[in-house]
Amino acid sequence: MNLWLLLTLAALAECHYSCPDLCSCSVRTTEVFCGQSSLTRFPVDGLSPNTTQLSIQSTGLAAVTAHHLSMVPLLNNLQLYHNNLTSLPPDLLKGVPRLNTLDLTGNQLVHLPPNIFSHASLHNLVLKNNRIEKVDAEWFSVNSSVRWLDLSGNLLTGIPSALLLKLPHLQSLDLSNNNLQELQPDALTNLHHLETLNLARNQLTSLKPATFSHNLKLSHLFLQENQLRDLPATLLQGLQNLEHLLLNQNRLQYLPLGFLDEGGSSFMVILSLNPWVCDEKIEFLKKWLNAHPENVFFLDEVTCAGPEALKHRQVASLTDSELGLLKLEMG
């Protein structure tokens, strides 16, 4: 009986804090998950102060305050995605200094106040699929600890250099699915640890030669589904760690001589769905494709858009005579 009593008391001690209504909790209530659409308020009642991971997703939650989060001072992972949040208070993270990951995917956020992310030692920040039109350098403190920043799926038309200057530890930056039309020449100069950069599905028409010259650890570069018409010959210079380069679905007609020789020797590339013009200027690309077929995803989809006689032909299959190269040599 005494043993049973001790076990009962131990169980009661662990369950001193009941699980909040409309939520489920781990045995020790350190992980809390709330995913009921009928949840409209922050689940304060029953929330253990020992909570380290809190996930509130696909609910009717419309507000969260610093007071709410002060109930869980040990929190290190907060997921608030697919709710109805339209704004956040500037002191939101003041009571959770240990917070490492904050995910706000799929809310209705438009504007965020200054210093919103300067009160916690965040490493991972996800603001994906909101309605943010402008990013503000004042969101962060100088020398912010953020390493992973996801701003994809918003309404951004630009990214200020001042913001990225405050993020020297950044390893992954996702700006895909926005309306970016250009990158400031010095935008990425302070990102010496950047390994993954996603600029896919924007409106970029060109890139400066030195755009990535300070990002020598870059291994994954996603530029697909933009409006790029041409690329500087030295764009990839120094990127010896490059593993993946995606350039598909742009408006590229040629690649400059030596372009694909500038990066690392074994990176994988996607070049399909560009309007390649198959004349003498395509010679570099043709030779590179034939020399490195194992480095090209969807090689058979790298095809000519013109001239009419070569339309839909695979670039790698073209002969010198078809490109007019023999004629040029004889001339």
Side-chain angles (χ1 to χ4, degrees), residues 104-145:
L104 290 155
T105 296
N107 283 281
Q108 308 296 319
L109 300 170
V110 178
H111 301 291
L112 297 176
N115 298 312
I116 175 68
F117 303 122
S118 63
H119 300 296
S121 55
L122 285 176
H123 282 182
N124 308 300
L125 175 59
V126 183
L127 294 164
K128 181 179 181 178
N129 293 347
N130 279 277
R131 298 182 178 179
I132 300 169
E133 298 177 0
K134 262 188 175 180
V135 290
D136 188 347
E138 297 306 311
W139 290 353
F140 300 96
S141 56
V142 174
N143 199 31
S144 168
S145 58

mmCIF file of all heavy atoms in Angstrom, residues 104-145:
data_model
loop_
_atom_site.group_PDB
_atom_site.id
_atom_site.type_symbol
_atom_site.label_atom_id
_atom_site.label_comp_id
_atom_site.label_asym_id
_atom_site.label_seq_id
_atom_site.Cartn_x
_atom_site.Cartn_y
_atom_site.Cartn_z
ATOM 1 N N LEU A 104 5.674 31.466 -37.247
ATOM 2 C CA LEU A 104 4.431 32.221 -37.394
ATOM 3 C C LEU A 104 3.828 32.027 -38.781
ATOM 4 O O LEU A 104 3.120 32.890 -39.294
ATOM 5 C CB LEU A 104 4.697 33.711 -37.135
ATOM 6 C CG LEU A 104 4.999 34.063 -35.673
ATOM 7 C CD1 LEU A 104 5.812 35.339 -35.574
ATOM 8 C CD2 LEU A 104 3.716 34.179 -34.864
ATOM 9 N N THR A 105 4.093 30.899 -39.372
ATOM 10 C CA THR A 105 3.604 30.596 -40.721
ATOM 11 C C THR A 105 2.087 30.721 -40.824
ATOM 12 O O THR A 105 1.350 30.277 -39.940
ATOM 13 C CB THR A 105 3.994 29.151 -41.111
ATOM 14 O OG1 THR A 105 5.407 29.056 -41.183
ATOM 15 C CG2 THR A 105 3.403 28.759 -42.455
ATOM 16 N N GLY A 106 1.637 31.313 -41.931
ATOM 17 C CA GLY A 106 0.228 31.241 -42.288
ATOM 18 C C GLY A 106 -0.711 32.044 -41.429
ATOM 19 O O GLY A 106 -1.846 31.619 -41.186
ATOM 20 N N ASN A 107 -0.274 33.217 -40.968
ATOM 21 C CA ASN A 107 -1.178 34.120 -40.262
ATOM 22 C C ASN A 107 -1.539 35.293 -41.181
ATOM 23 O O ASN A 107 -1.397 35.188 -42.397
ATOM 24 C CB ASN A 107 -0.540 34.581 -38.951
ATOM 25 C CG ASN A 107 -0.604 33.501 -37.878
ATOM 26 O OD1 ASN A 107 -1.630 33.294 -37.251
ATOM 27 N ND2 ASN A 107 0.504 32.794 -37.677
ATOM 28 N N GLN A 108 -1.980 36.400 -40.607
ATOM 29 C CA GLN A 108 -2.399 37.553 -41.405
ATOM 30 C C GLN A 108 -1.545 38.778 -41.062
ATOM 31 O O GLN A 108 -2.018 39.913 -41.116
ATOM 32 C CB GLN A 108 -3.886 37.876 -41.139
ATOM 33 C CG GLN A 108 -4.830 36.698 -41.287
ATOM 34 C CD GLN A 108 -4.862 36.165 -42.701
ATOM 35 O OE1 GLN A 108 -4.866 36.941 -43.658
ATOM 36 N NE2 GLN A 108 -4.881 34.850 -42.851
ATOM 37 N N LEU A 109 -0.289 38.539 -40.698
ATOM 38 C CA LEU A 109 0.594 39.634 -40.267
ATOM 39 C C LEU A 109 0.965 40.528 -41.438
ATOM 40 O O LEU A 109 1.334 40.049 -42.509
ATOM 41 C CB LEU A 109 1.852 39.054 -39.629
ATOM 42 C CG LEU A 109 1.629 38.181 -38.382
ATOM 43 C CD1 LEU A 109 2.921 37.481 -37.987
ATOM 44 C CD2 LEU A 109 1.092 39.026 -37.231
ATOM 45 N N VAL A 110 0.863 41.839 -41.227
ATOM 46 C CA VAL A 110 1.223 42.824 -42.245
ATOM 47 C C VAL A 110 2.400 43.673 -41.774
ATOM 48 O O VAL A 110 3.416 43.795 -42.451
ATOM 49 C CB VAL A 110 0.020 43.737 -42.582
ATOM 50 C CG1 VAL A 110 0.422 44.791 -43.621
ATOM 51 C CG2 VAL A 110 -1.145 42.914 -43.094
ATOM 52 N N HIS A 111 2.257 44.260 -40.592
ATOM 53 C CA HIS A 111 3.321 45.107 -40.019
ATOM 54 C C HIS A 111 3.742 44.522 -38.677
ATOM 55 O O HIS A 111 2.912 44.072 -37.898
ATOM 56 C CB HIS A 111 2.823 46.541 -39.813
ATOM 57 C CG HIS A 111 2.355 47.205 -41.066
ATOM 58 N ND1 HIS A 111 3.215 47.560 -42.084
ATOM 59 C CD2 HIS A 111 1.115 47.572 -41.468
ATOM 60 C CE1 HIS A 111 2.514 48.116 -43.071
ATOM 61 N NE2 HIS A 111 1.237 48.135 -42.714
ATOM 62 N N LEU A 112 5.039 44.575 -38.411
ATOM 63 C CA LEU A 112 5.565 44.123 -37.125
ATOM 64 C C LEU A 112 6.281 45.285 -36.446
ATOM 65 O O LEU A 112 6.967 46.066 -37.115
ATOM 66 C CB LEU A 112 6.525 42.956 -37.319
ATOM 67 C CG LEU A 112 5.916 41.674 -37.916
ATOM 68 C CD1 LEU A 112 7.002 40.636 -38.145
ATOM 69 C CD2 LEU A 112 4.838 41.118 -37.008
ATOM 70 N N PRO A 113 6.168 45.417 -35.129
ATOM 71 C CA PRO A 113 6.747 46.575 -34.429
ATOM 72 C C PRO A 113 8.257 46.467 -34.261
ATOM 73 O O PRO A 113 8.817 45.353 -34.305
ATOM 74 C CB PRO A 113 6.048 46.524 -33.066
ATOM 75 C CG PRO A 113 5.713 45.087 -32.868
ATOM 76 C CD PRO A 113 5.402 44.540 -34.229
ATOM 77 N N PRO A 114 8.947 47.588 -34.058
ATOM 78 C CA PRO A 114 10.391 47.568 -33.793
ATOM 79 C C PRO A 114 10.702 46.723 -32.559
ATOM 80 O O PRO A 114 9.893 46.631 -31.629
ATOM 81 C CB PRO A 114 10.730 49.042 -33.547
ATOM 82 C CG PRO A 114 9.637 49.802 -34.223
ATOM 83 C CD PRO A 114 8.408 48.962 -34.099
ATOM 84 N N ASN A 115 11.868 46.109 -32.564
ATOM 85 C CA ASN A 115 12.396 45.317 -31.443
ATOM 86 C C ASN A 115 11.612 44.042 -31.142
ATOM 87 O O ASN A 115 11.860 43.383 -30.130
ATOM 88 C CB ASN A 115 12.481 46.169 -30.162
ATOM 89 C CG ASN A 115 13.415 47.337 -30.318
ATOM 90 O OD1 ASN A 115 14.531 47.183 -30.786
ATOM 91 N ND2 ASN A 115 12.944 48.522 -29.963
ATOM 92 N N ILE A 116 10.691 43.682 -32.008
ATOM 93 C CA ILE A 116 9.848 42.518 -31.763
ATOM 94 C C ILE A 116 10.668 41.247 -31.541
ATOM 95 O O ILE A 116 10.302 40.393 -30.731
ATOM 96 C CB ILE A 116 8.839 42.336 -32.938
ATOM 97 C CG1 ILE A 116 8.000 41.057 -32.791
ATOM 98 C CG2 ILE A 116 9.530 42.315 -34.273
ATOM 99 C CD1 ILE A 116 7.034 41.082 -31.661
ATOM 100 N N PHE A 117 11.817 41.104 -32.217
ATOM 101 C CA PHE A 117 12.601 39.871 -32.102
ATOM 102 C C PHE A 117 13.919 40.079 -31.336
ATOM 103 O O PHE A 117 14.823 39.256 -31.431
ATOM 104 C CB PHE A 117 12.901 39.305 -33.487
ATOM 105 C CG PHE A 117 11.665 39.047 -34.302
ATOM 106 C CD1 PHE A 117 11.498 39.660 -35.541
ATOM 107 C CD2 PHE A 117 10.656 38.228 -33.844
ATOM 108 C CE1 PHE A 117 10.358 39.439 -36.294
ATOM 109 C CE2 PHE A 117 9.510 37.995 -34.581
ATOM 110 C CZ PHE A 117 9.356 38.609 -35.816
ATOM 111 N N SER A 118 14.013 41.164 -30.597
ATOM 112 C CA SER A 118 15.285 41.483 -29.935
ATOM 113 C C SER A 118 15.324 41.044 -28.474
ATOM 114 O O SER A 118 16.324 41.260 -27.796
ATOM 115 C CB SER A 118 15.562 42.986 -30.026
ATOM 116 O OG SER A 118 14.560 43.714 -29.339
ATOM 117 N N HIS A 119 14.246 40.422 -27.981
ATOM 118 C CA HIS A 119 14.192 40.067 -26.556
ATOM 119 C C HIS A 119 14.501 38.603 -26.277
ATOM 120 O O HIS A 119 14.487 38.180 -25.127
ATOM 121 C CB HIS A 119 12.807 40.400 -25.988
ATOM 122 C CG HIS A 119 12.434 41.843 -26.102
ATOM 123 N ND1 HIS A 119 13.122 42.845 -25.460
ATOM 124 C CD2 HIS A 119 11.447 42.458 -26.813
ATOM 125 C CE1 HIS A 119 12.572 44.019 -25.755
ATOM 126 N NE2 HIS A 119 11.561 43.807 -26.572
ATOM 127 N N ALA A 120 14.749 37.818 -27.300
ATOM 128 C CA ALA A 120 15.044 36.394 -27.105
ATOM 129 C C ALA A 120 16.223 36.003 -27.985
ATOM 130 O O ALA A 120 16.531 36.676 -28.962
ATOM 131 C CB ALA A 120 13.815 35.547 -27.446
ATOM 132 N N SER A 121 16.873 34.895 -27.623
ATOM 133 C CA SER A 121 18.042 34.448 -28.395
ATOM 134 C C SER A 121 17.597 33.516 -29.513
ATOM 135 O O SER A 121 17.995 32.352 -29.570
ATOM 136 C CB SER A 121 19.043 33.741 -27.476
ATOM 137 O OG SER A 121 18.395 32.674 -26.793
ATOM 138 N N LEU A 122 16.760 34.028 -30.394
ATOM 139 C CA LEU A 122 16.211 33.226 -31.490
ATOM 140 C C LEU A 122 17.308 32.719 -32.423
ATOM 141 O O LEU A 122 18.216 33.467 -32.789
ATOM 142 C CB LEU A 122 15.221 34.057 -32.302
ATOM 143 C CG LEU A 122 13.843 34.323 -31.697
ATOM 144 C CD1 LEU A 122 13.050 35.254 -32.606
ATOM 145 C CD2 LEU A 122 13.082 33.029 -31.486
ATOM 146 N N HIS A 123 17.178 31.455 -32.831
ATOM 147 C CA HIS A 123 18.030 30.896 -33.874
ATOM 148 C C HIS A 123 17.235 30.671 -35.154
ATOM 149 O O HIS A 123 17.778 30.779 -36.246
ATOM 150 C CB HIS A 123 18.651 29.577 -33.413
ATOM 151 C CG HIS A 123 19.808 29.755 -32.489
ATOM 152 N ND1 HIS A 123 20.547 28.709 -31.977
ATOM 153 C CD2 HIS A 123 20.366 30.872 -31.962
ATOM 154 C CE1 HIS A 123 21.513 29.167 -31.203
ATOM 155 N NE2 HIS A 123 21.418 30.475 -31.163
ATOM 156 N N ASN A 124 15.947 30.338 -34.994
ATOM 157 C CA ASN A 124 15.096 30.030 -36.145
ATOM 158 C C ASN A 124 13.839 30.893 -36.105
ATOM 159 O O ASN A 124 13.085 30.841 -35.133
ATOM 160 C CB ASN A 124 14.694 28.549 -36.120
ATOM 161 C CG ASN A 124 15.893 27.629 -35.965
ATOM 162 O OD1 ASN A 124 16.795 27.628 -36.797
ATOM 163 N ND2 ASN A 124 15.922 26.854 -34.889
ATOM 164 N N LEU A 125 13.631 31.655 -37.174
ATOM 165 C CA LEU A 125 12.466 32.535 -37.256
ATOM 166 C C LEU A 125 11.761 32.311 -38.591
ATOM 167 O O LEU A 125 12.353 32.496 -39.654
ATOM 168 C CB LEU A 125 12.894 34.001 -37.133
ATOM 169 C CG LEU A 125 11.798 35.049 -37.313
ATOM 170 C CD1 LEU A 125 10.679 34.871 -36.290
ATOM 171 C CD2 LEU A 125 12.387 36.461 -37.219
ATOM 172 N N VAL A 126 10.480 31.909 -38.518
ATOM 173 C CA VAL A 126 9.711 31.610 -39.718
ATOM 174 C C VAL A 126 8.494 32.532 -39.782
ATOM 175 O O VAL A 126 7.643 32.502 -38.903
ATOM 176 C CB VAL A 126 9.252 30.135 -39.738
ATOM 177 C CG1 VAL A 126 8.510 29.833 -41.041
ATOM 178 C CG2 VAL A 126 10.444 29.201 -39.580
ATOM 179 N N LEU A 127 8.455 33.370 -40.826
ATOM 180 C CA LEU A 127 7.351 34.306 -41.047
ATOM 181 C C LEU A 127 6.656 34.014 -42.373
ATOM 182 O O LEU A 127 6.052 34.891 -42.989
ATOM 183 C CB LEU A 127 7.885 35.745 -41.042
ATOM 184 C CG LEU A 127 8.434 36.225 -39.696
ATOM 185 C CD1 LEU A 127 9.280 37.476 -39.871
ATOM 186 C CD2 LEU A 127 7.314 36.473 -38.707
ATOM 187 N N LYS A 128 6.730 32.797 -42.794
ATOM 188 C CA LYS A 128 6.240 32.345 -44.096
ATOM 189 C C LYS A 128 4.735 32.552 -44.255
ATOM 190 O O LYS A 128 3.958 32.404 -43.316
ATOM 191 C CB LYS A 128 6.588 30.861 -44.230
ATOM 192 C CG LYS A 128 6.186 30.196 -45.515
ATOM 193 C CD LYS A 128 6.641 28.740 -45.490
ATOM 194 C CE LYS A 128 6.277 28.024 -46.776
ATOM 195 N NZ LYS A 128 6.764 26.629 -46.760
ATOM 196 N N ASN A 129 4.335 32.888 -45.485
ATOM 197 C CA ASN A 129 2.915 32.960 -45.868
ATOM 198 C C ASN A 129 2.099 33.882 -44.966
ATOM 199 O O ASN A 129 1.061 33.504 -44.415
ATOM 200 C CB ASN A 129 2.287 31.561 -45.892
ATOM 201 C CG ASN A 129 2.854 30.686 -46.988
ATOM 202 O OD1 ASN A 129 3.538 31.168 -47.887
ATOM 203 N ND2 ASN A 129 2.590 29.399 -46.922
ATOM 204 N N ASN A 130 2.593 35.112 -44.818
ATOM 205 C CA ASN A 130 1.824 36.170 -44.190
ATOM 206 C C ASN A 130 1.544 37.237 -45.244
ATOM 207 O O ASN A 130 1.549 36.945 -46.436
ATOM 208 C CB ASN A 130 2.569 36.721 -42.970
ATOM 209 C CG ASN A 130 2.377 35.851 -41.742
ATOM 210 O OD1 ASN A 130 1.380 35.973 -41.032
ATOM 211 N ND2 ASN A 130 3.330 34.963 -41.479
ATOM 212 N N ARG A 131 1.318 38.468 -44.827
ATOM 213 C CA ARG A 131 1.034 39.552 -45.774
ATOM 214 C C ARG A 131 1.997 40.714 -45.577
ATOM 215 O O ARG A 131 1.640 41.880 -45.759
ATOM 216 C CB ARG A 131 -0.411 40.018 -45.608
ATOM 217 C CG ARG A 131 -1.429 38.925 -45.901
ATOM 218 C CD ARG A 131 -2.840 39.416 -45.787
ATOM 219 N NE ARG A 131 -3.803 38.378 -46.120
ATOM 220 C CZ ARG A 131 -5.122 38.540 -46.088
ATOM 221 N NH1 ARG A 131 -5.638 39.710 -45.750
ATOM 222 N NH2 ARG A 131 -5.936 37.540 -46.404
ATOM 223 N N ILE A 132 3.211 40.376 -45.211
ATOM 224 C CA ILE A 132 4.219 41.396 -44.900
ATOM 225 C C ILE A 132 4.697 42.070 -46.188
ATOM 226 O O ILE A 132 5.161 41.402 -47.104
ATOM 227 C CB ILE A 132 5.392 40.766 -44.137
ATOM 228 C CG1 ILE A 132 4.899 40.145 -42.830
ATOM 229 C CG2 ILE A 132 6.475 41.801 -43.860
ATOM 230 C CD1 ILE A 132 5.928 39.278 -42.131
ATOM 231 N N GLU A 133 4.585 43.385 -46.226
ATOM 232 C CA GLU A 133 4.984 44.152 -47.410
ATOM 233 C C GLU A 133 6.381 44.746 -47.268
ATOM 234 O O GLU A 133 7.055 45.002 -48.262
ATOM 235 C CB GLU A 133 3.973 45.270 -47.675
ATOM 236 C CG GLU A 133 2.562 44.755 -47.973
ATOM 237 C CD GLU A 133 1.570 45.877 -48.171
ATOM 238 O OE1 GLU A 133 1.980 47.065 -48.084
ATOM 239 O OE2 GLU A 133 0.388 45.592 -48.398
ATOM 240 N N LYS A 134 6.806 44.980 -46.009
ATOM 241 C CA LYS A 134 8.098 45.610 -45.756
ATOM 242 C C LYS A 134 8.761 44.963 -44.563
ATOM 243 O O LYS A 134 8.102 44.669 -43.564
ATOM 244 C CB LYS A 134 7.908 47.102 -45.459
ATOM 245 C CG LYS A 134 8.141 48.004 -46.642
ATOM 246 C CD LYS A 134 8.110 49.446 -46.187
ATOM 247 C CE LYS A 134 8.473 50.350 -47.356
ATOM 248 N NZ LYS A 134 8.463 51.761 -46.970
ATOM 249 N N VAL A 135 10.066 44.728 -44.668
ATOM 250 C CA VAL A 135 10.820 44.258 -43.509
ATOM 251 C C VAL A 135 11.599 45.440 -42.950
ATOM 252 O O VAL A 135 12.023 46.332 -43.677
ATOM 253 C CB VAL A 135 11.777 43.107 -43.878
ATOM 254 C CG1 VAL A 135 10.989 41.857 -44.200
ATOM 255 C CG2 VAL A 135 12.674 43.474 -45.038
ATOM 256 N N ASP A 136 11.784 45.430 -41.628
ATOM 257 C CA ASP A 136 12.380 46.571 -40.938
ATOM 258 C C ASP A 136 13.606 46.108 -40.167
ATOM 259 O O ASP A 136 13.531 45.153 -39.390
ATOM 260 C CB ASP A 136 11.338 47.169 -39.983
ATOM 261 C CG ASP A 136 11.789 48.482 -39.367
ATOM 262 O OD1 ASP A 136 12.985 48.817 -39.476
ATOM 263 O OD2 ASP A 136 10.941 49.156 -38.763
ATOM 264 N N ALA A 137 14.720 46.782 -40.367
ATOM 265 C CA ALA A 137 15.950 46.438 -39.644
ATOM 266 C C ALA A 137 15.763 46.565 -38.139
ATOM 267 O O ALA A 137 16.452 45.901 -37.358
ATOM 268 C CB ALA A 137 17.095 47.343 -40.113
ATOM 269 N N GLU A 138 14.810 47.412 -37.721
ATOM 270 C CA GLU A 138 14.581 47.631 -36.290
ATOM 271 C C GLU A 138 13.910 46.448 -35.608
ATOM 272 O O GLU A 138 13.761 46.432 -34.391
ATOM 273 C CB GLU A 138 13.732 48.898 -36.091
ATOM 274 C CG GLU A 138 14.397 50.174 -36.582
ATOM 275 C CD GLU A 138 15.782 50.363 -35.977
ATOM 276 O OE1 GLU A 138 15.916 50.245 -34.747
ATOM 277 O OE2 GLU A 138 16.741 50.611 -36.738
ATOM 278 N N TRP A 139 13.493 45.459 -36.371
ATOM 279 C CA TRP A 139 12.946 44.234 -35.752
ATOM 280 C C TRP A 139 13.991 43.558 -34.870
ATOM 281 O O TRP A 139 13.662 42.936 -33.874
ATOM 282 C CB TRP A 139 12.527 43.223 -36.818
ATOM 283 C CG TRP A 139 11.333 43.571 -37.617
ATOM 284 C CD1 TRP A 139 10.479 44.624 -37.450
ATOM 285 C CD2 TRP A 139 10.852 42.842 -38.758
ATOM 286 N NE1 TRP A 139 9.491 44.592 -38.404
ATOM 287 C CE2 TRP A 139 9.692 43.516 -39.207
ATOM 288 C CE3 TRP A 139 11.273 41.698 -39.426
ATOM 289 C CZ2 TRP A 139 8.956 43.068 -40.312
ATOM 290 C CZ3 TRP A 139 10.541 41.250 -40.514
ATOM 291 C CH2 TRP A 139 9.396 41.935 -40.955
ATOM 292 N N PHE A 140 15.267 43.650 -35.280
ATOM 293 C CA PHE A 140 16.339 42.885 -34.648
ATOM 294 C C PHE A 140 17.325 43.790 -33.923
ATOM 295 O O PHE A 140 17.501 44.956 -34.272
ATOM 296 C CB PHE A 140 17.114 42.084 -35.703
ATOM 297 C CG PHE A 140 16.273 41.098 -36.463
ATOM 298 C CD1 PHE A 140 15.738 41.432 -37.699
ATOM 299 C CD2 PHE A 140 16.024 39.837 -35.942
ATOM 300 C CE1 PHE A 140 14.959 40.524 -38.403
ATOM 301 C CE2 PHE A 140 15.250 38.920 -36.650
ATOM 302 C CZ PHE A 140 14.712 39.256 -37.879
ATOM 303 N N SER A 141 17.998 43.221 -32.930
ATOM 304 C CA SER A 141 19.108 43.922 -32.293
ATOM 305 C C SER A 141 20.362 43.699 -33.139
ATOM 306 O O SER A 141 20.404 42.820 -33.995
ATOM 307 C CB SER A 141 19.325 43.384 -30.877
ATOM 308 O OG SER A 141 19.541 41.980 -30.922
ATOM 309 N N VAL A 142 21.381 44.504 -32.888
ATOM 310 C CA VAL A 142 22.654 44.345 -33.593
ATOM 311 C C VAL A 142 23.257 42.984 -33.239
ATOM 312 O O VAL A 142 23.152 42.528 -32.098
ATOM 313 C CB VAL A 142 23.629 45.475 -33.203
ATOM 314 C CG1 VAL A 142 25.002 45.250 -33.823
ATOM 315 C CG2 VAL A 142 23.067 46.818 -33.636
ATOM 316 N N ASN A 143 23.840 42.320 -34.220
ATOM 317 C CA ASN A 143 24.468 41.011 -34.013
ATOM 318 C C ASN A 143 23.458 39.970 -33.527
ATOM 319 O O ASN A 143 23.735 39.185 -32.621
ATOM 320 C CB ASN A 143 25.635 41.121 -33.026
ATOM 321 C CG ASN A 143 26.580 39.939 -33.133
ATOM 322 O OD1 ASN A 143 26.749 39.348 -34.198
ATOM 323 N ND2 ASN A 143 27.210 39.579 -32.014
ATOM 324 N N SER A 144 22.292 39.968 -34.152
ATOM 325 C CA SER A 144 21.243 39.016 -33.798
ATOM 326 C C SER A 144 21.735 37.576 -33.961
ATOM 327 O O SER A 144 22.570 37.287 -34.815
ATOM 328 C CB SER A 144 20.024 39.236 -34.698
ATOM 329 O OG SER A 144 19.104 38.180 -34.582
ATOM 330 N N SER A 145 21.197 36.688 -33.143
ATOM 331 C CA SER A 145 21.611 35.283 -33.164
ATOM 332 C C SER A 145 20.862 34.445 -34.198
ATOM 333 O O SER A 145 21.119 33.245 -34.327
ATOM 334 C CB SER A 145 21.407 34.661 -31.772
ATOM 335 O OG SER A 145 20.044 34.777 -31.378
#
